[in-house]
Amino acid sequence: MAAATTPDHNGLLRFTTAGSVDDGKSTLIGRLLYDSKSIFEDQLEAVESASSQKGIDGTDLSLLTDGLKAEREQGITIDVAYRYFATPKRKFIIADTPGHIQYTRNMVTGASTADLAIILIDARHGLLEQTHRHSFIASLLGLRHVVVCVNKMDLVDYNEERFNEIVAAYKDFSSRLDITDIKFIPISALHGDNVVDRSDKTPWYGGGTLLHHLETVHVGADRNLQDCRFPVQYVIRPQTDAHRDFRGYAGRIASGVWKPGDKVVALPSGKESTIDQILVGDTPLDKAFPPLSVTMTLTDDIDLSRGDMLVRANNQPESTQILDARICWLSEAPLNPATRYVLRHTTRDVQAKITEVLYRIDINTLHRVEDDVTIGVNDMARVRIKTASPLLTDGYKDNRSTGSFILVDPSTHLTVAAGVVG
Amino acid sequence: MSDSTYNLDHLTELEAESIYVLREVAAQFDRPAILFSGGKDSIVVTHLAAKAFAPGRIPMPLVHIDTGHNFPETIEFRDNLVERLGARLIVGSVQATIESGKVQEEPGANASRNRLQTTTLIDTIEEHQFDACIGGARRDEEKARAKERFFSHRDDFSQWDPKNQRPELWNLFNGMHAPGEHFRVFPLNNWTELDVWNYILRENIDLPSLYYAHDRMCIRRAGQILAHSDHLNLRQDETPEMMHVRFRTLGDLTITGAFESDADTLEQIIDEVAATRITERGGRMDDKRSESAMEDRKKEGYF
């Protein structure tokens, strides 16, 4: 079988890119897709014909990534677009997001499911406001891996000093953030230097190419295998003759390693039981861990339904009706302290009110703004939330599943905010 | 499972995501349905649904929008699958929509019922009051689909508003809606064509025989090979000839391009798909009508 059919070695990597047309983001993505042979002939032909219709010389690879009519007309990216490519070592999902401040909510959305962020810096301009913004969002959303691509190195004659200056400036800035693994790579997306193939124009650079890093970066350790959390999503009760007494608790494992025979506690009831079987379809597993979707059966008939959680007795989440959280406001309608929002956390919905806006965060400077705490679209803030019944939470840093939530406006049904606990 | 104990291969991870999405639909909606076309993607969705709710039955009906121009193999396959799973089947008929006078058959040699399906689909959704319709579409298929959500909102005219989609964060899906509105849900969003084929191989999933190379009377038109049938309006210069072909996607008889192939096992098909340099929908006349053909149809309520 061809190597390309089994990109399994290192599993799946989800990463996000943020940026505007000018910093070469679309060209970089086009380059990754093109050099990894993930672009098909008919796609390339369509882009070539669109390029010549617009009077552009050559092929504009950035056109590959514009999906909607309005985006093609305006030459901008409006929404998160997802791209896929695979190499013999790994499969990749790119959440491609626009970089302008008015699209902060799209960047947050793209980052929420990513393991890694690529931050592009134009070698001529160095760190810009949007560099700060993207880095802050990556940090807030708990991405532990950042790759800083210093792009357009061809326009600064592949100058080592210029690269080192930018690296030093970024390190200084990022010391205030919570990102553990930062890599710096000098590239030219346009010419392909150090993207897929090593460049002979940067002999002073000892590191690997961008693609090599993406293929090998280890993200498995980012998953929480310590704290067992299993939010019940759905109860399976077949009530057929063959399975009259079957009662299975279906859900996606948020964290921890689970085995048949483990003693568990159901929350909020506090009832104890033991795992009988862990199933995927009809197949029993001897252990299960995130992000598997499984069905668990217990040795006892206890009351357990959607929104409840299985945990271990000696390691429980916090049960609370007061949440301190950082939120990103997603809606055109501003935050209204009088509104009772629906807060969705794991598989549970509760009513919630924002009782206090502690401060707004200027995401360009990272400063706290305490005198103007009106929160509108794309704003970030630290808030206190009171819920109508208790939630079972962990800090987002420790647990992306039990530490995250969204707010929904019950009158419009729109998702108005995304929040992280702690 | 790969070497490291707690690493999942990417197919297992995709499967886990899709099962989560399917269960979320069952939990959040009152009247969900699976849109079943008989193509490989909707077959994979149905297989995942069977896994998600095992040992119970799939708690939602399969809905087939029958254009009347289907391959007979597709219909036979559909009926067998429904029987094996003990699932409920609902058929919406484009022929009946035409006979009711709501829509008119397209004229000409390139006539297709592809667009007419949308009316039948929307009528079927309204008749059965479905509030969530699960489809097998994938983001990698077409550029307008790259921006699809897992839970994609449709207003009470079944329209998609791509510029005003709900943000979708983590795996917290918001399916809240007003009466009359519904959602389209895409559990295979993050799968690629190759992922689907590799999963079919891994899970040993049955497919209609059309996907495997076979002898068939075909015609060549505009660089494409189309299956000869009573539903295809032949032009004067066209003569059907016997070819050894297979199909990469299954839509209507009138629009789905075949291609010449000897691949008659899943392994051979996967090798062929991995080596091919043309996208899957490159064989679909319906997408070629304009650059935004898919986006325009999706806004109207297409699959």
Side-chain angles (χ1 to χ4, degrees), chain A residues 28 30-37 85 87 187-189 191-199 208-215:
Chain A
L28 176 65
R31 172 65 60 188
L32 279 170
L33 299 178
Y34 188 76
D35 284 2
S36 64
K37 303 189 171 48
F85 72 102
T87 69
I187 67 164
S188 163
H191 300 294
D193 296 292
N194 295 327
V195 177
V196 171
D197 301 311
R198 273 197 72 87
S199 173
T209 64
L210 173 61
L211 184 64
H212 176 76
H213 183 63
L214 296 175
E215 282 180 332

Side-chain angles (χ1 to χ4, degrees), chain A residues 151-202:
Chain A
N151 191 24
K152 306 197 183 179
M153 286 301 292
D154 52 314
L155 299 181
V156 297
D157 296 327
Y158 300 95
N159 184 299
E160 180 183 8
E161 256 170 63
R162 181 63 188 142
F163 177 73
N164 288 339
E165 268 170 37
I166 292 172
V167 170
Y170 191 88
K171 280 185 174 162
D172 179 50
F173 156 75
S174 64
S175 60
R176 286 177 284 164
L177 300 175
D178 197 22
I179 300 169
T180 42
D181 169 31
I182 306 176
K183 283 271 176 309
F184 298 90
I185 306 177
I187 67 164
S188 163
L190 188 65
H191 300 294
D193 296 292
N194 295 327
V195 177
V196 171
D197 301 311
R198 273 197 72 87
S199 173
D200 53 13
K201 301 195 181 75
T202 53

Side-chain angles (χ1 to χ4, degrees), chain A residues 14-20 23-26 28-29 32 65 77 79-81 83 85 93-99 106-107 110-111 114 116-120 134 143 147 149 210 214:
Chain A
R14 299 175 197 243
F15 67 94
T16 177
T17 56
S20 52
D23 60 20
K25 179 201 62 160
S26 298
L28 176 65
I29 293 175
L32 279 170
T65 58
T77 314
D79 204 342
V80 187
R83 322 270 168 213
F85 72 102
I93 301 178
I94 312 176
D96 176 16
T97 63
N106 305 84
M107 287 182 256
L116 175 148
I118 292 182
I119 307 251
L120 275 167
H134 302 163
L143 275 62
V147 185
C149 287
L210 173 61
L214 296 175

Side-chain angles (χ1 to χ4, degrees), chain A residues 129-140 170 172-179 326 359-369 380:
Chain A
E129 230 174 52
Q130 78 166 17
T131 317
H132 296 166
R133 192 157 64 230
H134 302 163
S135 305
F136 174 68
I137 290 170
S139 164
L140 179 75
Y170 191 88
D172 179 50
F173 156 75
S174 64
S175 60
R176 286 177 284 164
L177 300 175
D178 197 22
I179 300 169
R326 287 183 287 182
Y359 53 83
R360 188 159 60 80
I361 303 163
D362 181 323
I363 65 166
N364 293 321
T365 61
L366 308 191
H367 291 150
R368 296 175 179 187
V369 182
M380 302 265 195

